[in-house]
Amino acid sequence: MPLKRLTALPKGFPNNAPPPKFQLGDRVLLTPDFGTITGMEYAPANHLKDWGWRYIVLLDRQSPSQGWVDSDLAWEDDLQILAPALAASEMEQQPT
């Protein structure tokens, strides 16, 4: 069965949109990468068969994929908040 194409905004948008789980500036884990949320959009998601939050993650310099990509897109369910202790230790390693 073909997926339903999500072309119209959800009914009641933006008032009925769920609040985003993450905010700009949050440090997140996108296995195996990690970084900072620098953008977000409410977009149609075929895997959800609905609309959902998608984020732009600016990868940290120590992130495994940072050698070939500076940022990545991730759906909300693919992200986890980075533990504050880990985030602090990673920031200390960043060159100034």
Side-chain angles (χ1 to χ4, degrees):
M1 180 167 130
L3 291 175
K4 176 182 151 189
R5 189 157 180 201
L6 302 171
T7 56
L9 285 170
K11 187 176 181 173
F13 181 83
N15 298 333
N16 291 343
K21 183 176 177 182
F22 304 101
Q23 300 298 317
L24 295 176
D26 281 353
R27 307 244 321 119
V28 294
L29 177 65
L30 171 60
T31 304
D33 292 310
F34 52 94
T36 304
I37 292 182
T38 59
M40 52 203 293
E41 65 179 345
Y42 197 61
N46 283 335
H47 69 287
L48 299 174
K49 297 182 176 71
D50 202 355
W51 289 65
W53 286 103
R54 185 167 63 178
Y55 300 85
I56 301 170
V57 180
L58 179 66
L59 300 180
D60 286 358
R61 290 182 187 151
Q62 296 83 11
S63 193
S65 300
Q66 215 279 334
W68 60 88
V69 64
D70 291 329
S71 62
D72 201 354
L73 292 172
W75 292 102
E76 195 165 71
D77 291 344
D78 297 328
L79 295 173
Q80 296 175 19
I81 201 77
L82 196 58
L86 178 58
S89 69
E90 292 296 335
M91 292 301 286
E92 290 170 7
Q93 295 176 16
Q94 297 260 351
T96 56

